[in-house]
Amino acid sequence: MTYDVRNNTDESRYETTIDGEVAVAEYHREGNRITFTHTIVPEKLEGRGIAGAIVKKALDDAKAEGLEVVPQCGYVSAYIKRHPEYAELVHP
């Protein structure tokens, strides 16, 4: 399934709205570094691959912008481990 994921820079989060519910990957950006702090999917939306779609979009954008990624969020960290093509983005 494809989701309309957008970067809401005013709220410092990637988000998508489905059935009136908002799922997000929150971040903090400083210079060329982006730190992902939380990924939240409402319970009624769980199991649809929404978190993965949001994180993929966020990491694709980080890669395109040449950003260093700090995965403080456990979900983002696990996603990168499952998708090693993003490992090069991780800041030590």
Side-chain angles (χ1 to χ4, degrees), residues 10-25:
D10 291 339
E11 297 290 329
S12 296
R13 66 188 195 183
Y14 280 82
E15 63 186 22
T16 189
T17 303
I18 301 163
D19 299 334
E21 301 283 335
V22 181
V24 302

Side-chain angles (χ1 to χ4, degrees), residues 6-69:
R6 63 199 163 281
N7 183 1
N8 181 341
T9 56
D10 291 339
E11 297 290 329
S12 296
R13 66 188 195 183
Y14 280 82
E15 63 186 22
T16 189
T17 303
I18 301 163
D19 299 334
E21 301 283 335
V22 181
V24 302
E26 297 175 346
Y27 65 84
H28 172 72
R29 179 143 179 208
E30 188 173 327
N32 71 334
R33 182 178 294 173
I34 187 166
T35 301
F36 291 98
T37 56
H38 298 288
T39 302
I40 303 165
V41 176
E43 189 174 337
K44 74 183 222 177
L45 299 179
E46 290 179 357
R48 299 186 195 180
I50 296 167
I54 293 171
V55 171
K56 180 182 185 328
K57 168 68 171 153
L59 293 174
D60 285 345
D61 285 359
K63 189 173 191 174
E65 292 182 48
L67 301 178
E68 296 175 344
V69 172

